[in-house]
Amino acid sequence: MKGSQLRQAAHAIDPIFIDRWSPRAMSGAALSLDELMVLFEAARWAPSASNLQPWRMLYALRTSPHWSMFLGLLSDANRVWAQHGGALVAFISKNTRDDGRPAPTHAFDTGAAWENFALQASMRNLVVHGMQGFDHLRAPTELKLPPDFDIHAMVVVGKPGEVAMLPENLRAREQPSDRRPLHDSVCEGPFGF
Ligand SMILES: Cc1cc2nc3c(=O)[nH]c(=O)nc-3n(C[C@H](O)[C@H](O)[C@H](O)COP(=O)(O)O)c2cc1C
């Protein structure tokens, strides 16, 4: 289902923004490396401060030996549905510049890369769902992150599946969510919320 079937934008935006949402129902079908690379390619073209491209993406296809380690990092609540995905991706970023100085926008830039990735997945009719529910202590170790890299989120990508396959408590939540009104997020001039 496209998000625009149930969502209403308040201004005349392109439908890609409301079409993307975060389903959980996935079929368990494999994802090909080619399908995944298209999403990484979209992420690659994100803007970043000084074009540093601080993002890195670590992935495991469900057919790969790394799949069980990636899946094992997820919280139980996420694993119950994410296990039916075709690929898991860890979005990480380098928090320093090459000269060792801090890179203050590394997380902001990597968020842009993730959104490119997600929009491209949505346009390909794939499920894409970000997850902060993973073991934040074990992930840097098991993914062998160097000390100047931070992990932001794990993401599952998969082929759409039947809602009936989800645990009962998740079935009612399987629909595009709304947003607060724009004036609660935007104000002219200094902070005025
Ligand atoms: C960084 C990030 C972390 C998230 N973590 C989780 C998570 O751990 N589990 C989950 O079910 N959904 C998670 N979500 C999905 C959000 O709840 C979802 O994006 C939000 O409710 C807006 O809904 P929409 O993506 O369908 O538009 C996460 C999303 C993002 C961007």
Side-chain angles (χ1 to χ4, degrees):
M1 184 216 305
K2 296 274 187 199
S4 57
Q5 289 173 240
L6 285 175
R7 287 168 156 171
Q8 192 88 45
H11 293 269
I13 58 173
D14 189 286
I16 61 167
F17 302 107
I18 52 173
D19 278 343
R20 184 219 56 80
W21 65 290
S22 302
R24 293 185 177 83
M26 292 174 285
S27 69
L31 207 66
S32 74
L33 188 55
D34 281 352
E35 287 172 298
L36 190 59
M37 284 299 155
V38 170
L39 314 187
F40 289 136
E41 181 65 15
R44 179 176 168 236
W45 292 101
S48 59
S50 306
N51 202 15
L52 283 181
Q53 304 160 66
W55 51 77
R56 305 286 188 279
M57 288 79 81
L58 311 175
Y59 71 89
L61 292 171
R62 71 174 295 115
T63 48
S64 106
H66 300 297
W67 173 258
S68 58
M69 184 268 280
F70 276 58
L71 193 62
L73 292 174
L74 299 184
S75 64
D76 293 345
N78 282 334
R79 195 181 314 108
V80 72
W81 55 269
Q83 64 180 313
H84 303 298
L88 285 164
V89 181
F91 274 76
I92 65 170
S93 67
K94 189 167 186 293
N95 55 36
T96 55
R97 304 170 68 101
D98 287 344
D99 63 6
R101 283 185 297 148
T105 64
H106 70 98
F108 186 82
D109 299 338
T110 304
W114 137 253
E115 179 69 347
N116 276 15
F117 180 98
L119 289 176
Q120 183 64 75
S122 165
M123 291 169 84
R124 295 273 163 134
N125 297 316
L126 294 168
V127 168
V128 59
H129 198 131
M131 294 172 289
Q132 53 81 34
F134 62 90
D135 192 321
H136 290 248
L137 281 180
R138 274 198 301 124
T141 309
E142 298 205 16
L143 296 169
K144 302 190 189 324
L145 301 196
D148 53 347
F149 278 78
D150 292 338
I151 179 163
H152 302 289
M154 295 191 66
V155 172
V156 63
V157 186
K159 302 284 170 74
E162 296 296 327
V163 177
M165 300 277 289
L166 286 174
E168 190 164 1
N169 62 322
L170 294 178
R171 283 180 218 154
R173 293 170 61 189
E174 190 72 351
Q175 52 184 326
S177 55
D178 203 356
R179 293 294 185 269
R180 64 175 180 247
L182 195 52
H183 59 73
D184 286 350
S185 301
V186 180
C187 93
E188 186 181 13
F191 191 92
F193 297 105

